[in-house]
Amino acid sequence: MDKRDEIKPASHRNERGLPALAAGALYLVATPIGNLEDITLRALRTLRECDVVAAEDTRRTGQLLRHYEISKPILSYFRFNEAKRSEEIIERLRRGEKVALVTDAGSPGISDPGERVVRAAMEAGFRVEAVPGPCALVAALTASGLPAEEFHFIGFLPHKSGQRRKTLERLRNLNATLVLYESPHRIEKLLTELNEIFPDRSVVLARELTKKFEEFLRGSPAELLAVSQARSLKGEFVVLIGAANPVS
Ligand code: SAM
């Protein structure tokens, strides 16, 4: 039997009749990607009822917790201390602690730290639960107007030009919507690359999702390149590229 099958769901309830958090469990809590209203009731309760919050940026998560009037010890867990901190988190789980993991924004593990401690917790036989919520790729894809039936998420492209081009070329014939994350200072570079590699595709730039200046820019790579040169686009972006042979 798989070790995980032995882990039973939490059965006891808290004082409000809601299922209590399980002792020795890791909770992956999605947090807002811009709009502070975008947090689930379960995410707030998990943050309130856990023993410790493992966070990518303790200062930023401190602000978020203060906003919701939650006071909790915060432990840093980011890309460069993932290995060491994973061990510490496993130790805490062993002591029966309930650990919530959050990143700066959105869903842990999606172009963000998380995977390592999830695997370590699973291998050590601990319960791991997602507390789902905001995720930039899902928000962008569902509002983009591009087919969402089959999509391929790349996360961030490599920084080096040759590797970026190779990755994009490898995906040229994939019959699915491509979704990627890009930083604002590389958006023009990306549109230039898309104009060379995918000149005839429909592209959507989903900018500043859930925030005051949210907008969706749609067009060919050449059209969007002209917009970005004219306006010098700022903020956070999800970039979506229509499939090679879209089904109508
Ligand atoms: N874990 C996050 C998630 O669930 O979406 C993603 C974290 S990744 C480090 C950050 C990237 O996500 C940004 O560079 C941008 O590409 C995208 N992103 C995050 N928030 C966004 C927003 N409000 N609007 C557009 N893109 C966003």
Side-chain angles (χ1 to χ4, degrees), residues 216-245:
F216 285 83
L217 298 158
R218 299 177 170 89
S220 67
E223 287 164 344
L224 293 175
L225 186 58
V227 173
S228 91
Q229 283 162 346
R231 279 178 49 191
S232 127
L233 298 171
K234 291 193 176 58
E236 296 196 277
F237 291 91
V238 181
V239 181
L240 305 104
I241 303 154
N245 301 300

Side-chain angles (χ1 to χ4, degrees), residues 1-165:
M1 183 165 71
D2 187 309
K3 235 180 181 180
R4 276 166 290 163
D5 295 337
E6 294 166 18
I7 304 164
K8 298 279 183 297
S11 55
H12 53 299
R13 301 197 163 249
N14 71 4
E15 67 279 4
R16 287 165 60 212
L18 296 164
L21 300 192
L26 173 67
Y27 294 88
L28 308 170
V29 181
T31 55
I33 57 167
N35 186 327
L36 289 172
E37 282 185 302
D38 293 334
I39 189 154
T40 69
L41 296 173
R42 186 167 163 236
L44 289 175
R45 189 162 70 81
T46 304
L47 293 170
R48 241 177 243 124
E49 294 182 6
C50 68
D51 294 298
V52 65
V53 178
E56 191 182 5
D57 179 335
T58 53
R59 198 185 52 89
R60 208 163 150 167
T61 295
Q63 287 168 349
L64 184 82
L65 294 186
R66 268 195 300 285
H67 179 84
Y68 299 115
E69 297 177 349
I70 297 171
S71 162
K72 212 39 78 171
I74 306 177
L75 180 81
S76 84
Y77 175 88
F78 59 97
R79 198 147 71 98
F80 300 107
N81 71 2
E82 260 191 295
K84 187 167 166 285
R85 280 291 200 247
S86 291
E87 285 173 24
E88 277 181 49
I89 291 173
I90 299 302
E91 247 337 286
R92 285 174 178 268
L93 295 175
R94 215 164 260 136
R95 295 202 295 265
E97 289 191 17
K98 297 153 248 169
V99 182
L101 174 70
V102 302
T103 55
D104 289 355
S107 300
I110 301 295
S111 295
D112 261 344
E115 197 178 312
R116 189 163 196 146
V117 70
V118 167
R119 225 180 351 253
M122 282 171 57
E123 280 165 10
F126 294 106
R127 183 180 181 80
V128 178
E129 276 187 35
V131 182
C135 180
L137 100 90
V138 175
L141 180 63
T142 50
S144 70
L146 292 172
E149 201 159 74
E150 263 189 70
F151 67 92
H152 185 89
F153 175 61
I154 311 159
F156 290 98
L157 285 171
H159 289 180
K160 291 196 177 140
S161 296
Q163 290 174 6
R164 289 168 70 87
R165 177 168 287 273

